[in-house]
Amino acid sequence: MTDWTREFPFELRVCRWAEHEWPPGEASLQPDQCVIVGRQLGTRERRWDTVVAICDAEALRTRAVFGERALDRNLLRVVRNAPFDFEWYRDALELWTTDWRYVREAVKDAADRDLIETRRRNNRIELRRRWEYPDWLEALIAIENKPDLDRSAADALADQMQRDVAFGLADEAWVATLKTGESAEPGLLADMPVEAGVLAVDPEAGDADVLWHPRSLAVEAPGTRIVDRPTGSEYDQSAAEFEYVDAEWKALARLAIAERLYERGWRSYVDSMQPDCRHFELETVGEDGTAALQPHCAAKQTCPTSWECSGRCSEYEPEPPAWRSKGWPIEGGPGKGLRSVLEARRARKRPK
């Protein structure tokens, strides 16, 4: 029996629900839209639990020509600004106000991945685009998962949500909590900013109710990054510190987050676990129609986190070599088979 008050299994169920049911409530996607879902994504200062990207389906298929690996900010600058005809890279990327050594390195990386074409002419590196990078991202939705919203967790989360709203990097900010069945759900009573939406999630049934609808955030306007704020106690009367972030930086950051989401999806948890342990399993949770796979440790009878499922675990035992010849591929055992199952499901969510 899964303990849904633990954030990791709850987070996986939220991802599974969002993948099939977004948007929540009575809203629906347009016929030419689709969603892809990732987890633990964001910027260096802020990482979101669940991220939903609403995409233009045709443009997303076009994005596939650039490969399954994510394009970081530097590669995005190169492929989006590369000219149709060969041009010296300094002229083509003159708006990129970064040290030219890093620009040249990014151009080389892009060429090594066949994202652009390059040639050397008159001792200069020239480049041109192979394909036009499509405008595939339409909206970015951030969800913070807090199944057990006690007072201390709610206070900390409220501060995080206020920062998200002020920054405006995501189009919408949501809080997902565990549905309790009470007449007034705790998530609705928590002191959250009114711009943030609230979801009450039933992990077993695989559904969610909207307790509070969010407001659309100003993603195309400059954002406000709260650097420091007073605690409000009589011992801290300092002034709040903040800085503005321009809209161009936000736009590139949003696209870089979406690129990592495109590569990883939400099933990438297995990449930081030990599926080759003899105790590692994938179990099916949820009811028919909403069932999903999640990791399970047979030794501890729990859904382990990446920290728990590691080489430092006292119960860790590599799978016996004999397992690799009992119906599994010669080059791997059950652990590799489980990994391939998750990778196949992740790949199906990226239209080709």
Side-chain angles (χ1 to χ4, degrees):
M1 184 66 176
T2 303
D3 179 6
W4 296 116
T5 61
R6 301 184 68 220
E7 288 193 20
F8 178 63
F10 180 80
E11 183 175 298
L12 296 185
R13 287 302 279 160
V14 170
C15 290
R16 167 63 172 77
W17 167 80
E19 189 173 70
H20 289 264
E21 303 297 335
W22 198 270
E26 298 179 0
S28 60
L29 295 175
Q30 298 298 318
D32 59 347
Q33 291 179 322
C34 64
V35 301
I36 51 177
V37 180
R39 52 179 296 272
Q40 297 300 317
L41 294 166
T43 64
R44 181 168 52 187
E45 296 84 12
R46 178 74 170 102
R47 190 173 297 273
W48 296 311
D49 293 336
T50 299
V51 183
V52 181
I54 300 178
C55 314
D56 179 297
E58 184 59 35
L60 186 61
R61 281 188 285 271
T62 304
R63 160 63 185 80
V65 302
F66 290 88
E68 295 181 357
R69 294 170 57 193
L71 307 184
D72 61 23
R73 295 189 191 194
N74 290 347
L75 288 177
L76 284 170
R77 287 184 173 111
V78 172
V79 300
R80 296 173 73 199
N81 294 290
F84 287 100
D85 297 316
F86 277 112
E87 189 175 346
W88 185 34
Y89 78 97
R90 290 203 181 191
D91 288 340
L93 306 175
E94 62 181 352
L95 297 180
W96 183 3
T97 56
T98 306
D99 190 315
W100 285 111
R101 292 172 297 174
Y102 300 110
V103 178
R104 184 167 178 169
E105 182 179 343
V107 170
K108 181 180 182 302
D109 290 343
D112 289 343
R113 289 176 54 175
D114 291 327
L115 304 176
I116 59 171
E117 294 182 65
T118 59
R119 71 181 184 185
R120 184 174 289 276
R121 189 172 186 179
N122 297 327
N123 204 31
R124 288 183 169 186
I125 298 175
E126 298 182 342
L127 77 159
R128 72 177 179 186
R129 66 177 52 177
R130 291 173 58 88
W131 312 281
E132 184 175 1
Y133 186 84
D135 186 16
W136 61 275
L137 177 65
E138 296 192 351
L140 207 60
I141 314 298
I143 305 175
E144 192 70 17
N145 299 311
K146 278 290 181 289
D148 186 10
L149 202 59
D150 61 23
R151 183 53 186 258
S152 60
D155 289 345
L157 182 58
D159 180 72
Q160 291 178 339
M161 300 306 295
Q162 289 166 3
R163 293 170 185 264
D164 287 345
V165 169
F167 199 11
L169 188 59
D171 293 81
E172 294 176 0
W174 291 79
V175 175
T177 67
L178 188 64
K179 184 186 293 186
T180 64
E182 299 177 9
S183 57
E185 292 284 348
L188 192 56
L189 301 176
D191 188 21
M192 299 295 163
V194 296
E195 294 87 351
V198 182
L199 291 165
V201 180
D202 183 344
E204 290 293 342
D207 62 19
D209 294 333
V210 178
L211 303 181
W212 187 268
H213 289 276
R215 296 180 184 176
S216 296
L217 302 181
V219 294
E220 296 182 355
T224 301
R225 179 186 285 126
I226 299 174
V227 179
D228 190 22
R229 65 195 313 173
T231 62
S233 71
E234 60 178 310
Y235 303 105
D236 185 359
Q237 300 297 320
S238 59
E241 295 182 25
F242 63 90
E243 60 187 17
Y244 292 116
V245 179
D246 63 62
E248 184 178 352
W249 186 96
K250 286 172 54 177
L252 189 58
R254 284 163 51 84
L255 194 53
I257 292 171
E259 278 285 335
R260 295 199 300 275
L261 185 156
Y262 178 87
E263 176 185 23
R264 292 167 50 182
W266 63 270
R267 297 173 177 86
S268 57
Y269 56 79
V270 72
D271 296 337
S272 56
M273 290 186 169
Q274 301 290 329
D276 60 339
C277 174
R278 67 184 303 157
H279 303 300
F280 185 91
E281 302 172 344
L282 289 178
E283 69 170 357
T284 303
V285 297
E287 301 175 354
D288 293 342
T290 64
L293 295 174
Q294 72 177 26
H296 179 74
C297 176
K300 297 180 178 179
Q301 292 298 308
T302 188
C303 174
T305 64
S306 298
W307 186 87
E308 294 168 328
C309 185
S310 63
R312 70 174 68 90
C313 175
S314 60
E315 303 291 339
Y316 173 70
E317 294 182 56
E319 58 188 18
W323 285 15
R324 302 181 182 182
S325 59
K326 293 183 178 180
W328 295 88
I330 296 299
E331 67 273 13
K336 187 165 185 177
L338 298 178
R339 185 187 293 273
S340 66
V341 168
L342 293 175
E343 288 178 349
R345 296 194 177 194
R346 174 171 44 179
R348 284 206 301 268
K349 299 303 175 182
R350 291 189 297 244
K352 301 296 185 184

